[in-house]
Amino acid sequence: MKNLSYTFIILILAFLYAACSSNNHQSVFHPKGLWLDNNGVHINAHGGGMLYNNGIYYWFGEHKIEGEAGNIAHVGVHCYSSENLQEWTDEGIALSVAPEGSGSDIEKGCILERPKVVYNAATKKYVMWFHLELKGEEYSAARSGVAISDKITGPYNFIRSLRPNGEMARDMTVFIDDDATAYHIFSSEDNKTTHIAELSDDYLSHTGKYVRVFPERYMEAPAVFKRNGNYYFIGSGCTGWAPNAARSAIAQSIWGPWTELGNPCRGENAELTFGAQSTYVQKVHGKEDLYIFMADEWRPENAIDGRYVWLPISFEEEKPVINWQTEWKMD
Ligand code: GAL
């Protein structure tokens, strides 16, 4: 009898321990912490974006290397997958830079930033857009690149680079609306003004329809999402790798008018976006109203060590608010 109750107690303790540790492991986010993948390596997907597909989140971002050299593309776009947004499996390099001397626009040594992948249900292709600067030309080319794959994790085949609608394009994102129309949103006109440009049905080119928004506001690092029928924009100012105050805006149509709502950040170092810069906003599936703000704390002197700042967005009326937290849980 005594033995039986000991076994029972031990079983209960083991169950509680397992429940607590799996909960901790799966749902605690540590902004700015080292974030290890399934191989115990710090996740290497900077300036990233997310694609949710069949119950799995795919995180695509810039693969950086050590030192200042890490700010230019030596490898390409790295992909990770996760069921819970917390534990990430390395899926390898989704888009590789072309070999040195190949003459490709994405030759090793180019600058390839802020990749975003979307799925086109009509063509059944995965399409990746990114900011591209040609090798040896610093940030003067101001182009966008597009690549395509049959498989979400790649390999992606580079198609071409271009200036969307003939206009300069640097920091960028892609937003898909409920009717499957895709919009390419980028810092244009030497970063002064944001362009929101419609993509063709196959997502591979621009239709020519676009609007200029936030004129002379030097918005960068755009992240766009939709909630309760409203379109939201979160971005940054234009100060290179150094952090500045985030901006937010709302609109009832993707074409605008867009109304600025100010810096959504609150708490320690909110005036510098907690030392980070926006890159994406992801809605958490299966949660009523949970959107995660995803940002990069850049470490340009050792680019590979850049950290991720993911925080939940709350809403005060319609205004997005991002509170600093050293750690937080999904629920
Ligand atoms: C930032 C931009 C980054 C990167 C950096 C280079 O403003 O958001 O993606 O281009 O400048 O200095």
Side-chain angles (χ1 to χ4, degrees):
M1 188 59 195
K2 211 173 170 185
N3 270 353
L4 249 182
S5 37
Y6 275 141
T7 315
F8 185 66
I9 290 171
I10 285 170
L11 275 175
I12 298 254
L13 287 175
F15 173 78
L16 285 176
Y17 177 77
C20 287
S21 53
S22 83
N23 189 37
N24 274 340
H25 197 55
Q26 290 189 7
S27 58
V28 180
F29 291 89
H30 296 275
K32 300 195 187 192
L34 269 181
W35 200 345
L36 306 183
D37 67 9
N38 60 314
N39 300 316
V41 177
H42 180 51
I43 292 170
N44 198 339
H46 311 267
M50 199 73 48
L51 179 59
Y52 181 76
N53 188 279
N54 270 332
I56 299 178
Y57 298 89
Y58 293 85
W59 177 357
F60 297 87
E62 304 158 21
H63 178 103
K64 306 264 195 189
I65 64 165
E66 283 180 9
E68 285 178 28
N71 299 309
I72 58 171
H74 289 78
V75 176
V77 176
H78 208 135
C79 176
Y80 295 83
S81 66
S82 173
E83 286 178 17
N84 55 23
L85 289 163
Q86 178 66 39
E87 295 161 298
W88 291 94
T89 300
D90 186 355
E91 298 286 356
I93 301 303
L95 172 68
S96 299
V97 294
E100 249 167 351
S102 63
S104 164
D105 284 0
I106 60 161
E107 173 168 348
K108 182 175 176 183
C110 68
I111 294 172
L112 197 167
E113 294 180 335
R114 299 189 178 276
K116 303 290 175 288
V117 174
V118 288
Y119 177 63
N120 189 297
T123 62
K124 299 193 166 53
K125 303 280 185 196
Y126 296 90
V127 176
M128 180 190 290
W129 282 93
F130 50 90
H131 169 200
L132 179 70
E133 299 292 347
L134 304 176
K135 183 180 177 180
E137 298 184 19
E138 302 196 342
Y139 279 88
S140 63
R143 299 175 79 80
S144 301
V146 60
I148 192 166
S149 175
D150 291 326
K151 222 181 127 215
I152 191 162
T153 52
Y156 285 77
N157 291 315
F158 174 63
I159 301 178
R160 63 179 170 277
S161 85
L162 50 90
R163 279 190 166 182
N165 304 309
E167 300 285 342
M168 297 173 89
R170 293 200 180 98
D171 281 11
M172 54 141 276
T173 193
V174 179
F175 169 75
I176 309 284
D177 210 340
D178 303 330
D179 66 357
T181 307
Y183 300 88
H184 186 200
I185 297 143
F186 49 92
S187 310
S188 192
E189 305 177 25
D190 243 331
N191 300 336
K192 281 205 266 304
T193 298
T194 303
H195 285 198
I196 300 180
E198 189 182 68
L199 290 177
S200 55
D201 288 345
D202 61 7
Y203 300 168
L204 297 175
S205 59
H206 296 77
T207 62
K209 183 174 177 188
Y210 73 96
V211 281
R212 302 170 64 246
V213 295
F214 312 125
E216 304 285 326
R217 286 288 286 142
Y218 288 88
M219 298 282 204
E220 283 204 320
V224 172
F225 63 102
K226 195 174 183 182
R227 174 185 177 264
N228 295 345
N230 289 314
Y231 297 83
Y232 285 92
F233 173 101
I234 296 183
S236 74
C238 186
T239 55
W241 301 118
N244 56 58
R247 289 110 179 259
S248 64
I250 191 170
Q252 260 135 49
S253 156
I254 188 80
W255 300 118
W258 285 85
T259 307
E260 285 201 46
L261 298 173
N263 183 354
C265 301
R266 300 235 180 112
E268 197 184 324
N269 212 12
E271 67 288 355
L272 291 179
T273 315
F274 323 118
Q277 186 183 29
S278 47
T279 187
Y280 202 74
V281 171
Q282 176 65 46
K283 183 176 191 323
V284 180
H285 291 264
K287 302 267 179 203
E288 179 82 16
D289 195 26
L290 181 53
Y291 294 78
I292 303 182
F293 169 72
M294 301 174 174
D296 295 279
E297 185 194 48
W298 304 113
R299 303 210 172 170
E301 63 298 334
N302 187 22
I304 196 173
D305 193 35
R307 302 299 171 91
Y308 309 102
V309 173
W310 288 18
L311 290 164
I313 304 177
S314 50
F315 294 87
E316 290 177 358
E317 305 284 326
E318 298 308 328
K319 182 180 157 54
V321 172
I322 305 163
N323 283 297
W324 171 247
Q325 299 170 71
T326 50
E327 60 169 61
W328 62 281
K329 283 188 188 181
M330 204 86 99
D331 36 355

